[in-house]
Amino acid sequence: MKKTRIKLNFFIVVLLASFTVSSCLLDDEKTDFGKGPILAQFEKPSVTANFIKDGSVTPYNVAITIIGGKNKPLNEPVEITISADPSSTATSGVEYSLAATTFTIPAGEMSVDAVINVNTANLDPFDAKTLVLKIDSSSESVSESNLAAITLQAVCSLDLSGFVGTYSADNKYWGEVYTATVELGPLPNSLLLTNVEGYGNDKVLIVLSTDVVNPTITYAGDATYKIYDHASYGPVWATTLTPEQSTYNSCDFSLNLEFKRCVSIGCFGGSRVVKMTKQ
């Protein structure tokens, strides 16, 4: 009799638990996620903005957007105010000025651009300042992620001859720092690098983009400019992964390289990463 009573109590507990779970699921199904708050926030929480240090005042746009609700444009405008957060290291009237601090996302739209006027004459390429923007208010609601950090980075005009010289080549794969050399290459905007892989006479031919605001590097090597000779596959040369994965600094002439190694029948897995600093 006692065992029967225990089994009966256990059955009742299981039945109640099942009913509770089912009730929760039913409540979840009734939730209308389209009725949540409409939140204003910056499209990107952080970004590095490059500017040629030519003395001009250059406008830079920072997108403010709305999220939440049904993630669709509203039928009425959204009014937003912003300010510079005290955590900024950039100074208003020195590195930048705000064209306005109040903005309207029009009805039927999802975003609006805040405009920063950047004074390139006062940017230091070796001491970048950061402007932190803050959304103070919105006619809807403000997201908890209401800050955007914009690093104002100065870049210099491209002087290819400035890259010529001796470098410290920090090769991440080998865990060694080699002494490498850079000379002008045979192609337009190209440089010929020697000993970045530590073989002594290894060659890597690179081509620099002419856009110093978006500085990228491509690799133009083939069997003529090789890293070494593989015992089975012959010459090994450097090849581009994507141009954005290798960059240069037109002010201090540093090179950040990432390339894959290829032979005539294909490429090896993985990549080589080398940070080159001019001595």
Side-chain angles (χ1 to χ4, degrees):
M1 186 62 115
K2 185 175 181 181
K3 289 183 180 179
T4 303
R5 186 178 298 112
I6 292 173
K7 289 181 179 179
L8 181 59
N9 290 340
F10 178 77
F11 174 77
I12 292 172
V13 170
V14 171
L15 183 62
L16 288 173
S18 300
F19 178 79
T20 301
V21 172
S22 299
S23 298
C24 291
L25 290 174
L26 287 173
D27 288 342
D28 287 343
E29 289 175 358
K30 292 179 181 179
T31 301
D32 184 354
F33 293 101
K35 293 183 179 179
I38 307 299
L39 306 175
Q41 69 176 33
F42 292 102
E43 189 172 76
K44 296 180 179 179
S46 64
V47 66
T48 296
N50 294 325
F51 302 90
I52 298 176
K53 187 178 172 65
D54 58 5
S56 65
V57 176
T58 304
Y60 182 78
N61 294 340
V62 179
I64 307 170
T65 188
I66 52 173
I67 63 170
K70 295 182 179 180
N71 282 325
K72 292 182 179 181
L74 301 180
N75 294 325
E76 63 274 353
V78 179
E79 306 294 335
I80 296 168
T81 61
I82 68 170
S83 65
D85 191 74
S87 62
S88 301
T89 56
T91 303
S92 178
V94 180
E95 290 88 9
Y96 79 94
S97 63
L98 291 177
T101 56
T102 59
F103 303 91
T104 300
I105 298 178
E109 301 290 336
M110 292 287 287
S111 65
V112 66
D113 286 336
V115 180
I116 305 167
N117 289 321
V118 180
N119 188 348
T120 65
N122 292 333
L123 298 184
D124 184 344
F126 306 111
D127 184 21
K129 303 297 184 182
T130 299
L131 167 61
V132 181
L133 293 179
K134 178 183 179 181
I135 297 177
D136 295 313
S137 65
S138 165
S139 57
E140 291 293 330
S141 296
V142 177
S143 170
E144 291 183 357
S145 304
N146 65 333
L147 299 178
I150 302 97
T151 300
L152 308 177
Q153 177 65 59
V155 295
C156 304
S157 299
L158 182 59
D159 175 14
L160 204 66
S161 63
F163 287 91
V164 174
T166 304
Y167 283 72
S168 296
D170 185 356
N171 191 302
K172 303 302 181 182
Y173 179 82
W174 297 112
E176 299 284 348
V177 178
Y178 305 113
T179 298
T181 59
V182 175
E183 57 187 293
L184 296 178
L187 304 176
N189 298 313
S190 68
L191 298 171
L192 183 59
L193 320 180
T194 302
N195 201 41
V196 297
E197 280 279 78
Y199 291 99
N201 62 347
D202 52 276
K203 306 289 184 183
V204 175
L205 183 64
I206 63 174
V207 178
L208 277 56
S209 67
T210 57
D211 183 2
V212 294
V213 174
N214 299 288
T216 61
I217 293 173
T218 54
Y219 297 82
D222 54 22
T224 306
Y225 303 100
K226 60 186 179 181
I227 299 172
Y228 68 98
D229 283 306
H230 191 278
S232 301
Y233 305 118
V236 179
W237 59 84
T239 305
T240 306
L241 284 160
T242 66
E244 294 76 18
Q245 286 178 268
S246 294
T247 62
Y248 66 87
N249 187 306
S250 56
C251 295
D252 65 7
F253 306 109
S254 60
L255 301 166
N256 295 299
L257 310 178
E258 184 171 1
F259 56 87
K260 57 185 176 181
R261 296 161 303 128
C262 297
V263 295
S264 59
I265 62 171
C267 298
F268 296 104
S271 64
R272 291 289 201 260
V273 176
V274 184
K275 181 177 178 59
M276 298 186 62
T277 305
K278 192 173 184 182
Q279 295 179 354

